[in-house]
Amino acid sequence: MSQTVLITGGTSGIGLSLAQSFVELGASVVVCGRSQAALDRFAQAHPQALAVQADVTNAADRAALLQAVADRFGRLDVLVNNAGTFEGRDYAAGKNPNATLDDEVALNLTAPIHLTGEVLERWPSPDAIVFITSGFALVSPTRAPTHGAVKAGLHGFADGLRRQLAPKGTHVLEVLPPSTDTPMNAEATGKKLTPAQVAAVTMKALRRGRNMAFPGQTKAMPAMLRIAPGTLRRVVAGL
């Protein structure tokens, strides 16, 4: 029996590449997003999949999304918490940088926690729950300290959740990509991975039952945090 997979923010970037990877494996794929135009494009390209307009920060939208999954497929095997945003904030600039802070925290941290809990309430033992966080979950970027904070919070949630769900056999995977060539990072300079590269590493980690996946440049981060944390922080300071 094929898996049913829900991917938030699944119409562009990493989410879209993951959706395409699961479709190729024969999974029943559900994506959600805010843009109806992007959802329509996805549905046209993948008519066998389900594309649902939903703002995952909105409780009613999340409930309707999960009901749509239940109505169409009756079950959910894999949840991929991918939707997110990046906000630069300069707290040394002498003015209040907290505009849109609540929106950032809601999308990057509280929404995936809420959705995960709501999924587990309906389907207590899914095969896997995936969190797309960031290398910045381990070392916060100078230009975006709140981004580091929310990703670190999601990293902590995934870590504890993994131990809670281990007796049920649910695989909890955290993916920590570096800067990736997505619409969210369109203005970022420097080396970027492609969404397809991140998706490939994610799919491999799912197959192998890994707890964490480090695509591209982030692969060296755990070792550098142990042996050269100062060097790593100087590198991240320039990002």
Side-chain angles (χ1 to χ4, degrees):
M1 183 181 295
S2 67
Q3 291 179 315
T4 299
V5 182
L6 168 59
I7 304 169
T8 67
T11 59
S12 68
I14 295 170
L16 177 57
S17 287
L18 284 170
Q20 292 168 335
S21 297
F22 278 109
V23 167
E24 289 170 4
L25 290 176
S28 299
V29 173
V30 184
V31 300
C32 72
R34 296 175 178 176
S35 168
Q36 188 60 56
L39 291 163
D40 289 343
R41 288 193 296 271
F42 181 89
Q44 184 173 12
H46 305 286
Q48 74 277 36
L50 177 62
V52 180
Q53 187 174 38
D55 176 352
V56 292
T57 68
N58 182 284
D61 279 13
R62 292 194 306 270
L65 169 64
L66 297 186
Q67 190 59 50
V69 174
D71 290 344
R72 176 75 171 267
F73 300 111
R75 55 199 278 259
L76 181 63
D77 302 296
V78 180
L79 168 64
V80 181
N81 287 294
N82 167 74
T85 187
F86 184 97
E87 299 283 348
R89 300 183 192 278
D90 187 353
Y91 286 84
K95 58 183 180 180
N96 188 347
N98 288 331
T100 72
L101 175 61
D102 290 348
D103 292 340
E104 179 188 10
V105 174
L107 181 57
N108 285 354
L109 180 60
T110 57
I113 293 174
H114 276 302
L115 183 60
T116 297
E118 291 154 2
V119 164
L120 290 170
E121 188 174 11
R122 282 178 177 256
W123 299 285
S125 302
D127 294 339
I129 298 175
V130 182
F131 297 92
I132 308 298
T133 64
S134 168
F136 293 137
L138 304 183
V139 181
S140 190
T142 303
R143 65 192 172 100
T146 57
H147 185 78
V150 292
K151 292 299 185 180
L154 200 57
H155 167 72
F157 177 67
D159 184 45
L161 182 71
R162 182 178 299 115
R163 293 191 294 275
Q164 285 189 353
L165 297 184
K168 294 177 176 287
T170 297
H171 176 199
V172 176
L173 168 65
E174 180 186 2
V175 183
L176 299 90
S179 183
T180 305
D181 191 13
T182 66
M184 183 178 73
N185 293 319
E187 297 181 2
T189 59
K191 185 177 180 181
K192 301 178 188 178
L193 289 190
T194 66
Q197 288 174 307
V198 177
V201 171
T202 302
M203 300 301 287
K204 183 178 180 179
L206 277 170
R207 289 194 302 271
R208 296 189 174 184
R210 299 275 174 80
N211 290 342
M212 301 173 74
F214 296 91
Q217 305 94 294
T218 63
K219 189 174 183 179
M221 290 188 77
M224 289 189 70
L225 279 171
R226 291 194 302 271
I227 64 177
T231 300
L232 179 58
R233 286 181 169 81
R234 285 193 293 275
V235 170
V236 174
L239 297 178

